[in-house]
Amino acid sequence: MSPSVPSRSARRRLAGTLCVLLAVGVVITGLVQAAPSTTPRALDPRIAAVMRKPDYRHAQWGLFQQDPRTGKVAHSRYADQFFIPGSAAKLFSVSGTWHTLGGDHRFVTPVHAVGQRRNATLKGDLDLVAQGDLTLGGRTRKDGTVAFTSIDHTYANDVPGATLTPENPLAGIDQLARQVRQAGIRRVDGDVVVDARLFKPDPGLDPVPTPLIINDNVIDLLSTPGSQAGTPAGLEWRPKVAPYHVTSSVRTVAAGKPSDINVSSSPDGTRIQLSGTIAADSAPVLRVSAVKDPNAFGRTALIEALQRAGVEVHAKAVGPNPVRRLPRSYQGAPTVARYTSPVYAQYAKLILKVSHNLGANLGICLMATSTGSTHCDDGFPVLATFLERAQVDRKAVQLADGRGGNPADRTTPRAMAQILTYWQRTPEARRFRTSLPVLGVDGTLADSCRSCPSRGKVFAKTGTAAGGDLLNDRLAVGAETTAGYLETRKGHFDVFFAGVNGAATPTADITGVLTIANDVADVAAYLQQQAAGGH
C-alpha cells in the first residue's frame, strides 16, 4: 500500500513549523560534525591560519576539492556532513531551471486584443499575458545581455553600496505599448488586464515570485546629499507609475557623520516616505520599497505607456487588475504586441552573479509550469529528477526554496561538487562557469582578492546566512560559503566547496560579515594557488 501523501498546504505548514523550530534552536540537525576525514593533500598553512581566527572559535569549516576528470580528491573536510549553504544553494535551483527550460530559452510576453476592431478602435480589452520574465526588458542592454552591478539594488536596504543599472525599468512595457500602436490601435474602449494565471504566488517562497515582474517588484529610491549640512537631501526614484508617490525628510549632516536612511510605506505600498540623514560627503544612497500588487502596478504601467505611445485607453489607469474580464482562452484574439526576453542563460548569470533571490525562487515556479502545474511546490519534484540524472546525491541536499534562505536548507560539500562536476561534462561548461562570480572581477566576489595571484582564476557562487545575536550584541553568521571552480592550470578546473557555519562577528556592524566573506574568499584563493603550484 502506498504511503499517504500530505496535501500541498499541509506540506507547507509542516515545513513552516520545522523552520520555526530550527530558527529558535529546538531542533538542530546537521550541525554536529564527525571528525574530518583524512586529507590527501596537506592543508595550506594560510588556510589553517584563517580557520584558527577567534571569530571561528565555535564554528565549523568544511572543504572539498576534486578533479572532475579523474575523481582525485585534493582536500576533504566534513565532505559528507550537512552545512547551511546560504545562497550557494542557487547552484542547484538555477541548474535545474537551466536544464528544464534550456539555456537559449526566451520568454515571450504577448498582448492580445480581446474584442472587435473597428478601424483604429478596439471595442474590448488589451490583455498582457505574463510569462515569468524576470526583468521584462528592465536590465537588457542593446546587445541583448543583462546588466548587473556588484551589489544589486534588491539588497539596498540591507547591504551598503548597492547601485542601479542605467537601463529603463519600464523598457519592456514601453516596447509593448509602441507595438500596440504600430498594430494600428489608437483607442481602447475596454480595459487593460494583466493575465497572471501562469502560476499562483506562493508565500512559502520569500521573496514571492509573481508571473509579472517589473523592476524586481520594487521602487528604487536614490538620495543624494544637499549642498551643505542642514539642507534637504536630493531625491530621485523609479519607476514612476501612478499612484505611487515618494516624499523625503532626509537631511544632510556634516561630512564624516553616518548616513542613516529609513523607508516606510502605506499599507498598499503606494505612499512611500524616506527619513533620516545623509553625510555631506556621501555617495548617493539607494533604498527600495516593495510593490505590493505587481499586477495592478503592471496594468497601470502599461496604460500609462500606451498613453505615451499615443493610444487612448477608456478605463481609468489606477485601480485593481480586473481579472474577471479575462477570457478562458485567447483563441481568435490576435497578438498585437510581444516582448521577447534575452536567453535564460543571461538571467542565470544575473541570478548567480548578484545572488538574485527573486530570480532563484522564480525558477522553482517555472520548473512547476513546465509540467503544466500552477503550484510552485510542484517545481521541487522536477528539480529532484534533474539532480538524480545529474548524478547528485539527492539525499545530501535539502531545499525548501530556490534561493537558499529557508532555515531547512542544507547540503554537503560533496553534493555541491557533484552539481559542479555535472556542468563540466556538458557542452555548456564554459557558459555556466562564467555565469558565476569571478574572484576579484565581478559579482559578489568583485571586491575580494583584487590584486592576489588568484584574481580571475576562481569562479564561484557565494552564500551568506546571518542574523542578529541580540544576547551578545553582534551578528550570528550561520553560514558563509562558496562553491565553484578553481583554474589549476590553463583550461583545467577543479570543483570545490569552502565554507564556515556558526561564525560570529565582533560587533553588530555588518562589515563584520563582509570580513568573514573575505576570509572564505581567501581560502578559495589559497586552494587555487596551492593546486596551481602543484603542477
Side-chain angles (χ1 to χ4, degrees), residues 97-118:
T97 310
W98 189 321
H99 177 267
T100 301
L101 301 179
D104 291 323
H105 174 80
R106 296 178 188 269
F107 300 88
V108 181
T109 302
V111 174
H112 292 279
V114 181
Q116 299 297 318
R117 285 279 297 272
R118 293 184 180 177

Side-chain angles (χ1 to χ4, degrees), residues 230-246:
T231 58
L235 171 66
E236 297 179 25
W237 62 281
R238 70 175 201 183
K240 289 184 170 65
V241 173
Y244 283 75
H245 182 69
V246 184

Side-chain angles (χ1 to χ4, degrees), residues 176-300:
L176 288 170
R178 290 193 296 268
Q179 289 183 29
V180 170
R181 179 175 171 89
Q182 291 165 5
I185 297 175
R186 300 291 185 271
R187 178 180 172 85
V188 178
D189 277 348
D191 211 325
V192 170
V193 193
V194 171
D195 184 341
R197 294 177 291 188
L198 181 68
F199 60 82
K200 299 174 182 178
D202 185 345
L205 299 174
D206 180 22
V208 179
T210 51
L212 180 67
I213 298 171
I214 298 174
N215 200 45
D216 299 311
N217 291 342
V218 299
I219 303 294
D220 297 317
L221 313 159
L222 193 66
S223 298
T224 54
S227 57
Q228 59 185 12
T231 58
L235 171 66
E236 297 179 25
W237 62 281
R238 70 175 201 183
K240 289 184 170 65
V241 173
Y244 283 75
H245 182 69
V246 184
T247 57
S248 174
S249 61
V250 177
R251 307 292 293 182
T252 307
V253 295
K257 288 194 172 183
S259 297
D260 184 12
I261 298 177
N262 301 305
V263 182
S264 61
S265 68
S266 58
D268 66 356
T270 63
R271 293 293 181 265
I272 303 167
Q273 172 70 39
L274 291 175
S275 60
T277 60
I278 185 170
D281 59 346
S282 172
V285 175
L286 181 65
R287 294 287 184 267
V288 294
S289 186
V291 171
K292 297 185 179 180
D293 189 342
N295 297 331
F297 182 85
R299 172 185 175 272
T300 298

Side-chain angles (χ1 to χ4, degrees), residues 384-394 414-415 417-419 421-422 425:
T385 299
F386 160 70
L387 291 179
E388 289 178 344
R389 291 177 178 173
Q391 297 183 341
V392 175
D393 180 2
R394 179 156 63 92
R414 193 184 303 274
Q418 289 168 344
I419 191 62
T421 297
Y422 159 79
R425 296 170 177 166

